[in-house]
Amino acid sequence: MEANNFIEEIINQELEEGKVTGVHTRFPPEPNGYLHIGHAKSLCLNFGTAEKYGGVCNLFFDDTNPSKEKTEYVDAIKADIEWLGFKWYEIHYASDFFDVIFEKAVKLIEDGKAFVCDLSAEEISETRGTLTEPGKESPYRNRSIEENLQLFYAMKDGRFADGEKVLRAKIDMASPNINLRDPVIYRVLRATHHRTGDKWCIYPMYDFAHPICDSMQGVTHSLCTLEFEDHRPLYNWVVENTGVEHKPRQIEFARLNITNTVMSKRYLKKLVEDKAVTGWDDPRMPTLTGLRNRGVPAEALKNFCEAIGIAKANSEIEVSYLEHFIRDYLNVHAERAMAVFEPIKVVITNFPETSEKEDFEINPNDETSGTRKITFSKEIYIDSEDFSLDPPPKYFRLKKDGYVRLKNAYIIKCDDVVLNEDGSVKELRCSYIPESKSGNDTSGIKVKGVIHWVSAEDCVDCEIRKYDYLLKDAEYAGQDFSERMNYDSVHVFKGKAEPYLKQVGEGKSFQLMRKGYYKTFDIDGKLVLSEIVSLKDGFKPTKN
Ligand code: ATP
Ligand code: MG
């Protein structure tokens, strides 16, 4: 198997040396919020690696922190993974293993490798030492095994207040790795767990629970982000000292960061709570539910994750690179349609009263899509951006006495401009060239501009929503999200659309010709066209 990244290189070598016989991964979200696009990278990595090697990937809910976790999040996480098209092998929860994890803690005590400590959280942190100085041993470090066992069971039985006692691994207070300086592995915490209710009043710490849970599931490669690199020696210590049967291996990879994008559950939650967005699924949110609601195809996200690859060093990806993949996918898969923003009425004075039907190509990138009929009539609307009273040089759209082609219809000439009292355009009076019909043009007139339009006879009113990024550009590296919020990120326009955009119903994605990619919504019976991504590709591939 050819390796595409350093993780696959490791796996190949292990397979060759017989250290593993297959690949079993897990995706380990904490159910304390909705998944975001960074999680998509981890999902693609975990599910993709397992699939490549004919292995499996579990969904593992890391629910060791009961005060922040909810069933709502568990359900949302499952729905998001299904949307991306990944199939987990088994679902497990850290809480399913609470009994086993407790037994492993008892074993550590029995082996003289863990002790109950009465120091407060502050005292533990004060005696931990620094990068240059060793820590100080706890005065409770040398309690007898019997006393430790008795106290640990008393912790479990609810005989101590929250924070009064903890269980610590007895490793090495002088270790250069601070994570190995007698880390806390169990704490007393009275919180109702979303799955185990009030059964437990002690909960294991992540660093202790995770390797045991990985092992219990038969996980071979426990892939996590770089901030856990310093925790790996503790991960290995737990694997070696708790007597677990399977020995999983932790490998770290770089987090995904994207410019102008909030990439932290904690901060995304704050946006929802502060009502800066309409919810977790607001189309501006980089959550998977937000991206789905916006109309971003799952395939486009997966193509993006594949293209950015897996690295050992953190970096920031341009948001335009993500948009490039969305546009790329929709260009091939989305139907075309026409809608005009801030419409201007056009009367074609020499056109007959009866309308006619024109052929409209559904998707030039999909030969099988064919054509559909659109109405062309004496009165039409064009986009206000396509007419200028005061045109700059080389203006190829419509101007007084100028010619333009109407997409899939005729060439028209603007004969007269009727103004409102305030000087704005009320309507344009134009004439059409009957011999200039698209596909059968014998007029001999050459025009440079082609504009889109809708027929006044059957068009529908719509609202158009365009979006900016929720985060403004950073003024300096590491600037806090709270200083970069863009509170003016929704722009609403009035528009008129082909009736087809209403007939197709909610949730369909289109390329609105010359405007961008939009998704249809029905809000109280009204057609809303919500921007997915603009037409213009801002991504510039760098030359190697
Ligand atoms: P956040 O900081 O946004 O809360 P998290 O790391 O706490 O994220 P978890 O639910 O613990 O979220 O993450 C589940 C998995 O997804 C972990 O393996 C985590 O490392 C990975 N993950 C989270 N964010 C990213 C990211 N930006 N890029 C790549 N992987 C990520
Ligand atoms: Mg986390």
Side-chain angles (χ1 to χ4, degrees), residues 244-493:
V244 292
E245 199 178 321
H246 291 284
K247 299 203 155 103
R249 169 172 182 178
Q250 174 180 307
I251 306 173
E252 308 85 20
F253 64 96
R255 283 180 96 78
L256 171 63
N257 294 303
I258 304 181
T259 55
N260 303 97
T261 306
V262 182
M263 199 74 87
S264 140
K265 262 190 277 183
R266 192 170 55 86
Y267 207 81
L268 291 169
K269 192 182 216 165
K270 189 166 152 33
L271 290 174
V272 174
E273 284 166 358
D274 292 353
K275 302 213 185 321
V277 292
T278 56
W280 287 98
D281 68 347
D282 187 300
R284 291 165 294 167
M285 290 280 271
T287 50
L288 297 186
T289 175
L291 291 163
R292 175 165 74 233
N293 190 31
R294 179 140 180 177
V296 171
E299 282 304 321
L301 275 188
K302 291 203 270 190
N303 293 342
F304 167 71
C305 289
E306 166 114 36
I308 56 176
I310 300 298
K312 274 191 234 186
N314 284 325
S315 66
E316 198 173 43
I317 307 281
E318 292 289 328
V319 66
S320 59
Y321 195 44
L322 167 64
E323 290 167 356
H324 168 80
F325 284 93
I326 301 169
R327 196 177 289 117
D328 228 40
Y329 184 90
L330 290 173
N331 185 29
V332 178
H333 293 90
E335 291 189 16
R336 271 50 173 175
M338 297 198 284
V340 297
F341 296 14
E342 304 294 343
I344 298 180
K345 188 179 209 177
V346 172
V347 180
I348 302 168
T349 49
N350 62 337
F351 196 80
E353 292 298 329
T354 49
S355 59
E356 60 179 51
K357 298 286 180 193
E358 317 297 355
D359 284 324
F360 183 84
E361 216 177 353
I362 292 174
N363 183 351
N365 288 322
D366 176 1
E367 283 167 17
T368 62
S369 67
T371 60
R372 60 185 170 79
K373 295 287 182 195
I374 57 173
T375 308
F376 186 72
S377 54
K378 191 177 178 76
E379 293 188 0
I380 61 169
Y381 290 100
I382 65 167
D383 202 290
S384 58
E385 282 190 352
D386 287 333
F387 176 78
S388 176
L389 273 174
D390 182 20
K394 296 203 176 161
Y395 187 80
F396 298 126
R397 287 166 275 167
L398 198 56
K399 58 191 172 197
K400 171 93 171 43
D401 299 324
Y403 289 84
V404 81
R405 171 171 290 287
L406 298 173
K407 177 88 193 147
N408 290 68
Y410 298 91
I411 295 175
I412 56 169
K413 172 171 178 266
C414 179
D415 304 313
D416 258 316
V417 181
V418 184
L419 297 180
N420 290 309
E421 276 179 3
D422 65 358
S424 61
V425 178
K426 183 173 182 202
E427 65 176 46
L428 304 176
R429 300 187 72 77
C430 298
S431 47
Y432 86 118
I433 316 297
E435 306 79 45
S436 68
K437 187 157 175 158
S438 289
N440 188 22
D441 180 359
T442 57
S443 70
I445 299 173
K446 293 271 168 287
V447 294
K448 286 213 167 129
V450 181
I451 64 172
H452 66 287
W453 51 277
V454 295
S455 163
E457 186 176 294
D458 63 358
C459 70
V460 295
D461 286 331
C462 64
E463 179 181 305
I464 291 141
R465 297 184 184 170
K466 293 185 67 164
Y467 307 106
D468 280 337
Y469 305 124
L470 280 173
L471 269 195
K472 295 185 210 164
D473 292 345
E475 285 153 14
Y476 52 89
Q479 187 181 17
D480 195 73
F481 287 159
S482 60
E483 292 176 17
R484 297 173 52 197
M485 277 302 299
N486 177 9
Y487 288 102
D488 183 27
S489 49
V490 185
H491 308 289
V492 177
F493 302 87

Side-chain angles (χ1 to χ4, degrees), residues 26-32 35-39 41-42 46 62 223-225 227-228 253-257 263-266:
R26 87 287 172 261
F27 173 68
E30 184 178 351
N32 62 352
L35 299 183
H36 52 63
I37 184 165
H39 294 110
K41 172 171 172 173
S42 174
N46 279 295
D62 166 29
L223 311 179
C224 63
T225 36
E227 67 272 23
F228 290 100
F253 64 96
R255 283 180 96 78
L256 171 63
N257 294 303
M263 199 74 87
S264 140
K265 262 190 277 183
R266 192 170 55 86

